[in-house]
Amino acid sequence: MEALVTIAVAAYNSAAFIEETLDSVYNQSYRNLALVISDDCSKDDTVAIINKWVAQERIKTRFHTVEVITVPKNTGVSANCNRCIASAPSDWVKFIAGDDILLPKCMEDNMNFAQQNPEAKIIFSQVKVYLNTFNESQFSKVIPQYFPDNLMHPSLKAYDQHQLLLVSDRINYTPSYFFNKQALAKVGGYDESNRLVEDYPMWLKLTASGEQLYYFHKETVGYRIHQNATNNKGEAVQNLDSSKFSIKENVSNKKVSPNVKKFMDSDESIS
């Protein structure tokens, strides 16, 4: 029997896209799914569209459970992620933003990898990037293009990955992220003081705790670049409290392994 997996949709002002996102969840080849949809006080019709979609009879019979979460005021993406995790009835969780899509075999491919690699609790894969719509005419690229010559090289353990991440956030394929929530519980979940940047602080906490990041080279998610997405504009990075994290000099002053140094010196190797 398939293990239960939760797909958590994090939405904010996603009215133009949310139904397409939810349909991609519905159409997963993996069958044993719970669905959590958490809206962070959208100002548009996102919640009305979600409620209409959830009310369909086909939805009631498709999922193990369905939960819609709303809040009276906007709390930021990190708090929204924590609410999703708290509501997930399974250990394994897949986040998807309310303007992106899961490719049809996303959950099947992720769970196959997790079962074949029982030590892996944090898993990444490839992301297909599109401009505005998911029509193939709007396809831009696949990221990362190259493996294993990046942060996910099999020779790099959690400590090595942490050293590289202290230099910069080298993961530009965050939408593929799949995780076991027990690993996040051990590091205290997401830091809600970072309202707009949830991923980079989490990668630092996980790798600092000894949690290795894993990867398989297969496309699982569609990522949409569009004008209204805050994370497409780079505004979120400006709001990150960088004082909480070490910088490149902190790393270069330490003794690092030649393996890590090789990746640190080569910009081309980081996808």
Side-chain angles (χ1 to χ4, degrees):
M1 181 179 177
E2 292 179 332
L4 181 65
V5 177
T6 300
I7 298 178
V9 180
Y12 177 65
N13 289 345
S14 307
F17 313 114
I18 189 68
E19 189 168 2
E20 188 173 15
T21 300
L22 294 173
D23 284 342
S24 78
V25 174
Y26 178 89
N27 290 323
Q28 288 299 295
S29 60
Y30 195 90
R31 303 308 299 171
N32 195 15
L33 298 174
L35 176 60
V36 173
I37 310 167
S38 183
D39 180 80
D40 198 20
C41 197
S42 291
K43 298 179 176 68
D44 60 9
D45 294 330
T46 299
V47 173
I49 295 169
I50 290 170
N51 288 335
K52 182 178 179 181
W53 188 88
V54 167
Q56 298 175 85
E57 194 61 36
R58 68 186 179 101
I59 305 306
K60 298 175 184 178
T61 58
R62 169 64 178 91
F63 296 100
H64 179 268
T65 55
V66 177
E67 182 175 359
V68 178
I69 304 168
T70 59
V71 289
K73 66 177 182 178
N74 181 265
T75 60
V77 64
S78 296
N80 204 10
C81 289
N82 282 338
R83 287 194 294 273
C84 287
I85 295 170
S87 296
S90 63
D91 281 340
W92 285 102
V93 180
K94 177 74 190 83
F95 282 155
I96 187 70
D99 52 0
D100 296 333
I101 61 169
L102 303 179
L103 300 185
K105 294 184 67 177
C106 175
M107 302 319 308
E108 180 181 347
D109 290 338
N110 271 287
M111 284 304 293
N112 283 342
F113 183 88
Q115 290 165 359
Q116 294 165 14
N117 300 271
E119 71 284 1
K121 304 301 180 186
I122 309 295
I123 301 170
F124 296 87
S125 49
Q126 285 183 300
V127 176
K128 295 184 72 175
V129 180
Y130 292 81
L131 304 178
N132 297 311
T133 73
F134 290 113
N135 295 329
E136 288 307 310
S137 62
Q138 298 298 303
F139 171 73
S140 173
K141 59 184 176 180
V142 175
I143 50 176
Q145 293 183 347
Y146 306 108
F147 176 74
D149 291 330
N150 58 19
L151 181 71
M152 303 298 173
H153 195 284
S155 67
L156 298 177
K157 304 306 179 186
Y159 177 77
D160 303 322
Q161 292 175 328
H162 184 70
Q163 288 187 307
L164 288 167
L165 285 165
L166 284 171
V167 178
S168 65
D169 183 4
R170 293 151 187 261
I171 301 177
N172 62 355
Y173 37 94
T174 293
S176 69
Y177 166 55
F178 180 56
F179 63 94
N180 188 301
K181 68 182 184 182
Q182 301 305 322
L184 272 67
K186 290 178 182 178
V187 298
Y190 285 91
D191 181 355
E192 297 185 11
S193 68
N194 288 316
R195 288 176 52 86
L196 295 178
V197 179
E198 84 290 0
D199 48 1
Y200 184 37
M202 179 55 74
W203 311 153
L204 290 170
K205 289 205 298 182
L206 286 167
T207 52
S209 75
E211 196 70 57
Q212 184 175 342
L213 311 180
Y214 287 79
Y215 172 89
F216 64 95
H217 201 55
K218 191 171 185 177
E219 300 160 4
T220 63
V221 173
Y223 176 72
R224 186 197 316 258
I225 295 177
H226 61 94
Q227 185 176 6
N228 295 326
T230 299
N231 58 349
N232 295 161
K233 297 177 183 177
E235 294 174 1
V237 176
Q238 299 172 15
N239 290 276
L240 177 63
D241 183 0
S242 59
S243 66
K244 295 183 178 180
F245 310 113
S246 301
I247 57 176
K248 186 172 183 177
E249 286 73 16
N250 294 30
V251 178
S252 60
N253 289 334
K254 296 178 180 179
K255 184 177 180 180
V256 298
S257 68
N259 198 29
V260 172
K261 190 68 165 59
K262 175 184 68 175
F263 285 90
M264 194 179 295
D265 289 343
S266 175
D267 290 334
E268 292 183 353
S269 70
I270 305 302
S271 299

mmCIF file of all heavy atoms in Angstrom, residues 28-43:
data_model
loop_
_atom_site.group_PDB
_atom_site.id
_atom_site.type_symbol
_atom_site.label_atom_id
_atom_site.label_comp_id
_atom_site.label_asym_id
_atom_site.label_seq_id
_atom_site.Cartn_x
_atom_site.Cartn_y
_atom_site.Cartn_z
ATOM 1 N N GLN A 28 -2.240 13.921 -10.064
ATOM 2 C CA GLN A 28 -1.046 13.148 -9.742
ATOM 3 C C GLN A 28 -1.269 11.649 -9.955
ATOM 4 O O GLN A 28 -2.319 11.114 -9.607
ATOM 5 C CB GLN A 28 -0.624 13.409 -8.300
ATOM 6 C CG GLN A 28 -0.018 14.773 -8.059
ATOM 7 C CD GLN A 28 1.237 14.986 -8.875
ATOM 8 O OE1 GLN A 28 2.253 14.315 -8.685
ATOM 9 N NE2 GLN A 28 1.153 15.909 -9.823
ATOM 10 N N SER A 29 -0.251 10.982 -10.493
ATOM 11 C CA SER A 29 -0.327 9.532 -10.673
ATOM 12 C C SER A 29 -0.303 8.819 -9.325
ATOM 13 O O SER A 29 -0.852 7.717 -9.198
ATOM 14 C CB SER A 29 0.829 9.047 -11.551
ATOM 15 O OG SER A 29 2.086 9.364 -10.955
ATOM 16 N N TYR A 30 0.332 9.413 -8.335
ATOM 17 C CA TYR A 30 0.363 8.865 -6.976
ATOM 18 C C TYR A 30 -1.009 9.071 -6.355
ATOM 19 O O TYR A 30 -1.558 10.179 -6.389
ATOM 20 C CB TYR A 30 1.449 9.568 -6.158
ATOM 21 C CG TYR A 30 1.820 8.875 -4.869
ATOM 22 C CD1 TYR A 30 2.833 7.927 -4.837
ATOM 23 C CD2 TYR A 30 1.172 9.183 -3.679
ATOM 24 C CE1 TYR A 30 3.199 7.299 -3.653
ATOM 25 C CE2 TYR A 30 1.526 8.558 -2.493
ATOM 26 C CZ TYR A 30 2.538 7.612 -2.487
ATOM 27 O OH TYR A 30 2.885 6.978 -1.319
ATOM 28 N N ARG A 31 -1.571 8.052 -5.766
ATOM 29 C CA ARG A 31 -2.976 8.105 -5.367
ATOM 30 C C ARG A 31 -3.228 8.476 -3.906
ATOM 31 O O ARG A 31 -4.215 9.151 -3.600
ATOM 32 C CB ARG A 31 -3.656 6.756 -5.651
ATOM 33 C CG ARG A 31 -3.567 6.303 -7.097
ATOM 34 C CD ARG A 31 -4.030 7.374 -8.077
ATOM 35 N NE ARG A 31 -5.433 7.759 -7.889
ATOM 36 C CZ ARG A 31 -6.011 8.787 -8.499
ATOM 37 N NH1 ARG A 31 -5.317 9.571 -9.308
ATOM 38 N NH2 ARG A 31 -7.280 9.059 -8.276
ATOM 39 N N ASN A 32 -2.372 8.031 -2.988
ATOM 40 C CA ASN A 32 -2.666 8.201 -1.564
ATOM 41 C C ASN A 32 -2.188 9.565 -1.074
ATOM 42 O O ASN A 32 -1.100 9.702 -0.518
ATOM 43 C CB ASN A 32 -2.030 7.075 -0.749
ATOM 44 C CG ASN A 32 -2.603 6.993 0.660
ATOM 45 O OD1 ASN A 32 -3.640 7.573 0.960
ATOM 46 N ND2 ASN A 32 -1.916 6.256 1.530
ATOM 47 N N LEU A 33 -3.033 10.569 -1.282
ATOM 48 C CA LEU A 33 -2.656 11.955 -1.020
ATOM 49 C C LEU A 33 -3.625 12.631 -0.056
ATOM 50 O O LEU A 33 -4.839 12.439 -0.141
ATOM 51 C CB LEU A 33 -2.642 12.763 -2.322
ATOM 52 C CG LEU A 33 -1.655 12.339 -3.409
ATOM 53 C CD1 LEU A 33 -1.897 13.150 -4.668
ATOM 54 C CD2 LEU A 33 -0.213 12.510 -2.920
ATOM 55 N N ALA A 34 -3.068 13.437 0.844
ATOM 56 C CA ALA A 34 -3.843 14.399 1.622
ATOM 57 C C ALA A 34 -3.546 15.776 1.055
ATOM 58 O O ALA A 34 -2.450 16.022 0.543
ATOM 59 C CB ALA A 34 -3.461 14.337 3.098
ATOM 60 N N LEU A 35 -4.508 16.673 1.143
ATOM 61 C CA LEU A 35 -4.351 18.010 0.575
ATOM 62 C C LEU A 35 -4.580 19.061 1.649
ATOM 63 O O LEU A 35 -5.606 19.057 2.328
ATOM 64 C CB LEU A 35 -5.339 18.214 -0.581
ATOM 65 C CG LEU A 35 -5.382 19.607 -1.225
ATOM 66 C CD1 LEU A 35 -4.026 19.991 -1.805
ATOM 67 C CD2 LEU A 35 -6.459 19.647 -2.307
ATOM 68 N N VAL A 36 -3.612 19.948 1.803
ATOM 69 C CA VAL A 36 -3.739 21.116 2.679
ATOM 70 C C VAL A 36 -3.567 22.354 1.808
ATOM 71 O O VAL A 36 -2.596 22.455 1.050
ATOM 72 C CB VAL A 36 -2.676 21.114 3.798
ATOM 73 C CG1 VAL A 36 -2.727 22.414 4.596
ATOM 74 C CG2 VAL A 36 -2.870 19.918 4.715
ATOM 75 N N ILE A 37 -4.496 23.286 1.903
ATOM 76 C CA ILE A 37 -4.412 24.548 1.165
ATOM 77 C C ILE A 37 -4.446 25.671 2.189
ATOM 78 O O ILE A 37 -5.423 25.809 2.934
ATOM 79 C CB ILE A 37 -5.580 24.715 0.170
ATOM 80 C CG1 ILE A 37 -5.742 23.458 -0.694
ATOM 81 C CG2 ILE A 37 -5.360 25.943 -0.708
ATOM 82 C CD1 ILE A 37 -7.048 23.429 -1.474
ATOM 83 N N SER A 38 -3.378 26.459 2.247
ATOM 84 C CA SER A 38 -3.289 27.517 3.252
ATOM 85 C C SER A 38 -3.166 28.870 2.557
ATOM 86 O O SER A 38 -2.187 29.130 1.836
ATOM 87 C CB SER A 38 -2.085 27.283 4.168
ATOM 88 O OG SER A 38 -2.032 28.267 5.174
ATOM 89 N N ASP A 39 -4.157 29.714 2.766
ATOM 90 C CA ASP A 39 -4.157 31.053 2.171
ATOM 91 C C ASP A 39 -3.733 32.088 3.204
ATOM 92 O O ASP A 39 -4.256 32.118 4.318
ATOM 93 C CB ASP A 39 -5.542 31.405 1.633
ATOM 94 C CG ASP A 39 -5.551 32.791 1.017
ATOM 95 O OD1 ASP A 39 -5.097 32.918 -0.141
ATOM 96 O OD2 ASP A 39 -5.983 33.743 1.694
ATOM 97 N N ASP A 40 -2.793 32.949 2.817
ATOM 98 C CA ASP A 40 -2.225 33.931 3.744
ATOM 99 C C ASP A 40 -2.909 35.293 3.610
ATOM 100 O O ASP A 40 -2.277 36.299 3.330
ATOM 101 C CB ASP A 40 -0.720 34.051 3.514
ATOM 102 C CG ASP A 40 0.000 34.700 4.688
ATOM 103 O OD1 ASP A 40 -0.567 34.716 5.794
ATOM 104 O OD2 ASP A 40 1.124 35.190 4.485
ATOM 105 N N CYS A 41 -4.241 35.281 3.792
ATOM 106 C CA CYS A 41 -5.061 36.504 3.779
ATOM 107 C C CYS A 41 -4.972 37.227 2.435
ATOM 108 O O CYS A 41 -4.606 38.411 2.358
ATOM 109 C CB CYS A 41 -4.680 37.434 4.916
ATOM 110 S SG CYS A 41 -5.918 38.710 5.280
ATOM 111 N N SER A 42 -5.311 36.503 1.377
ATOM 112 C CA SER A 42 -5.319 37.100 0.039
ATOM 113 C C SER A 42 -6.328 38.238 -0.053
ATOM 114 O O SER A 42 -7.392 38.212 0.572
ATOM 115 C CB SER A 42 -5.656 36.032 -1.009
ATOM 116 O OG SER A 42 -4.615 35.101 -1.140
ATOM 117 N N LYS A 43 -5.990 39.216 -0.892
ATOM 118 C CA LYS A 43 -6.884 40.356 -1.118
ATOM 119 C C LYS A 43 -7.760 40.165 -2.355
ATOM 120 O O LYS A 43 -8.640 40.986 -2.627
ATOM 121 C CB LYS A 43 -6.062 41.633 -1.259
ATOM 122 C CG LYS A 43 -5.249 41.991 -0.011
ATOM 123 C CD LYS A 43 -4.441 43.259 -0.233
ATOM 124 C CE LYS A 43 -3.698 43.682 1.029
ATOM 125 N NZ LYS A 43 -2.626 42.726 1.376
#
